[in-house]
Amino acid sequence: YEDGAGITTERTLRPVGLFFWGYRWSLGAWCEVREAFRSFRLDRIREMELRDERFTPLPGQTLDDFFKMRDAETAAVRDD
């Protein structure tokens, strides 16, 4: 993945959703490196390796949890 500053990192992701925000696509995923949800712009994913391993969604790492995190972030911005 390449961030906005052009820095490339390698991540292991547990995808929970693919989203279109009106002008670009992003992947909502649990990031094993950050141990938190992150959104990844599809146009910044430089290389991808699909693995055969499967994961079981853990408490706090589901699509519903992702939406709760996004709602909390939106509410915090509105409160500022």
Side-chain angles (χ1 to χ4, degrees), residues 11 13-17 27-32 34-40 58-70 73:
R11 307 290 181 100
L13 305 177
R14 294 177 175 233
V16 295
L27 175 71
W30 179 264
C31 176
E32 295 291 333
R34 302 285 187 205
E35 296 184 345
F37 283 114
R38 294 289 192 267
S39 292
F40 298 90
L58 301 172
Q61 296 179 7
T62 66
L63 179 60
D64 190 46
D65 297 316
F66 176 80
F67 284 134
K68 288 176 185 174
M69 180 269 310
R70 296 291 296 187
E73 286 178 351

Side-chain angles (χ1 to χ4, degrees), residues 39-55:
S39 292
F40 298 90
R41 285 180 36 181
L42 294 189
D43 61 324
R44 292 185 178 170
I45 296 175
R46 299 294 172 231
E47 190 174 325
M48 182 173 58
E49 173 188 340
L50 297 178
R51 298 181 178 182
D52 288 332
E53 63 190 83
R54 299 289 182 246
F55 63 89

